[in-house]
Amino acid sequence: MNKIKVCFVGIGSIAKRHIRNIKTFLKDYDVIVDAYRSSKRDLEGDIKEYIDNQYFKYEDVPNDYDAIFITNPTKFHYDTLMQFKDNSDNFFIEKPIVDIFDMDKDFNEFKSKNCYVACPIRHGKVIKYLKENINLDKINSIRCICSTYLPEWHPDEDYRKSYSAKKELGGGVSIDLIHEWDYLTYLFGKPDEIFSILDKVSNLEIDTEDIAIYMAKYENYLLELHLDYFGRYPIREIIIFQNDETIVADIQNNKIIFKNKGNILDFSEERNDFQVEELKYFFKLINNDVENINDIGNALDVMKLTQGEIL
């Protein structure tokens, strides 16, 4: 299938990135990109020229899409899935899949559909290398951290008005940085036990938690995870402690460092590279050329871990 027709529900920053990537980098496909919008406000910049059709009433939306991209705020994801369930058999759902208050909702109507929940860091070269080369039997412990400064995520926007800052919109560092639990479970599986602390400790003007700390027990090792919104120097890395080596997987700078041997693997990858790889993967999923690596069930399990729930 080289000709593909998709519809985006919500045109925020991540949707714009996906649309530009589809139109710019997926040259093997002839893609029609439509948008369903709640506002008739003119789209800014180049994004308008990439969208073929805009719809403002659901009744006008076609029901023959090859895929629906759900890229509106998290709190609307479940209702959007239900509304558009008959418009396609394939759904790309931005992380997290739903608001924490919708985790126990009924998803039975989607058992026969391809529902892929975004997990872009899995498609990056650092995580791919670890997945293919790390022997789990040699691990003694794992330490993982993602520390960033929320006001710098989108410098041209007021962070206090973002969904990250508002509990009612599904924000909070535990959910916002769900990437960490996603790739950790992808690499190491799901833990046997978990303990967590979620809190608000900084002077950021938000009503969500800005720090989440977890201790998880696996059969043969422990895993520590630290997430925060207030780190002034961005850090995103996994440290793997083995008997004969300490491996630092620096996701922020796309490197893997073998501290004992002194070797460094530099993958020279930008964020947009793995975003493009994810879209290529999803288009293969539409064609049934690959298996779904993050379906609704797995995405919900990962969400429960972010709230300190054992599965």
Side-chain angles (χ1 to χ4, degrees):
M1 181 194 300
N2 287 327
K3 189 165 186 177
I4 293 180
K5 181 179 176 182
V6 304
C7 181
F8 280 77
V9 182
I11 308 294
S13 58
I14 189 61
K16 291 174 182 176
R17 177 185 287 271
H18 289 323
I19 292 169
R20 290 187 183 103
N21 284 338
I22 287 171
K23 290 292 191 177
T24 304
F25 296 106
L26 273 65
K27 299 296 187 182
D28 293 338
Y29 299 93
D30 177 15
V31 187
I32 296 172
V33 176
D34 293 349
Y36 175 73
R37 302 180 59 209
S38 58
S39 168
K40 293 187 177 182
R41 185 175 64 249
D42 280 346
L43 293 169
E44 298 177 356
D46 62 340
I47 200 67
K48 188 173 183 178
E49 67 188 63
Y50 292 134
I51 295 175
D52 295 282
N53 302 288
Q54 295 187 57
Y55 299 99
F56 302 95
K57 294 181 180 179
Y58 173 74
E59 294 74 20
D60 297 331
V61 179
N63 61 0
D64 61 345
Y65 285 107
D66 295 299
I68 301 289
F69 282 71
I70 297 179
T71 49
N72 54 359
T74 302
K75 68 173 293 186
F76 303 120
H77 281 189
Y78 182 79
D79 290 341
T80 303
L81 268 171
M82 297 304 295
Q83 183 178 24
F84 284 82
K85 61 184 172 61
D86 296 324
N87 295 83
S88 181
D89 289 326
N90 303 287
F91 291 83
F92 182 110
I93 308 163
E94 261 309 318
K95 66 86 186 170
I97 177 173
V98 290
D99 185 273
I100 58 172
F101 303 108
D102 291 330
M103 287 194 294
D104 295 324
K105 292 284 183 70
D106 185 357
F107 291 89
N108 285 330
E109 293 190 64
F110 294 90
K111 285 184 176 179
S112 62
K113 297 180 182 290
N114 260 331
C115 294
Y116 168 77
V117 183
C119 52
I121 296 179
R122 289 200 204 184
H123 298 272
K125 293 179 180 178
V126 169
I127 298 300
K128 284 184 177 180
Y129 180 90
L130 295 180
K131 182 69 174 176
E132 294 170 3
N133 293 280
I134 298 301
N135 185 340
L136 299 184
D137 294 332
K138 292 185 176 182
I139 296 174
N140 289 327
S141 70
I142 301 159
R143 180 179 296 163
C144 181
I145 180 171
C146 183
S147 175
T148 55
Y149 190 50
L150 179 61
E152 293 178 351
W153 284 21
H154 302 288
D156 55 337
E157 300 174 7
D158 185 346
Y159 79 91
R160 290 163 292 196
K161 297 179 180 178
S162 70
Y163 84 91
S164 300
K166 297 180 180 297
K167 190 175 295 184
E168 76 235 22
L169 295 181
V173 74
S174 65
I175 292 293
D176 236 352
L177 298 181
I178 197 172
H179 290 293
E180 267 53 48
W181 270 123
D182 177 79
Y183 65 67
L184 288 171
T185 53
Y186 177 62
L187 292 172
F188 308 114
K190 292 163 187 173
D192 299 320
E193 298 177 38
I194 189 169
F195 175 79
S196 66
I197 299 174
L198 282 59
D199 205 351
K200 166 71 170 65
V201 298
S202 77
N203 61 359
L204 290 173
E205 296 178 47
I206 61 177
D207 66 12
T208 55
E209 81 273 359
D210 57 14
I211 187 168
I213 296 177
Y214 307 84
M215 179 70 72
K217 180 173 174 53
Y218 288 77
E219 183 177 1
N220 296 315
Y221 50 84
L222 296 180
L223 183 151
E224 308 162 62
L225 173 59
H226 170 110
L227 308 174
D228 74 60
Y229 273 157
F230 48 74
R232 298 311 304 268
Y233 182 83
I235 305 170
R236 190 170 229 164
E237 65 183 25
I238 312 168
I239 306 174
I240 301 172
F241 299 92
Q242 300 177 327
N243 287 330
D244 58 352
E245 186 60 274
T246 297
I247 302 168
V248 179
D250 186 346
I251 299 168
Q252 182 71 25
N253 298 298
N254 301 296
K255 296 179 181 180
I256 294 180
I257 305 161
F258 298 86
K259 301 294 281 187
N260 192 34
K261 295 178 183 176
N263 296 341
I264 299 176
L265 300 177
D266 190 339
F267 294 106
S268 299
E269 187 177 39
E270 300 294 333
R271 172 188 171 180
N272 204 55
D273 294 334
F274 54 76
Q275 299 276 179
V276 172
E277 287 302 310
E278 180 174 50
L279 287 171
K280 290 178 180 178
Y281 161 82
F282 179 66
F283 279 28
K284 290 178 182 177
L285 182 65
I286 293 174
N287 285 333
N288 295 312
D289 293 333
V290 294
E291 293 185 4
N292 193 338
I293 60 173
N294 197 26
D295 60 15
I296 286 177
N298 188 73
L300 290 172
D301 283 349
V302 171
M303 276 199 74
K304 291 173 183 177
L305 281 177
T306 70
Q307 302 308 296
E309 296 181 29
I310 199 62
L311 310 176

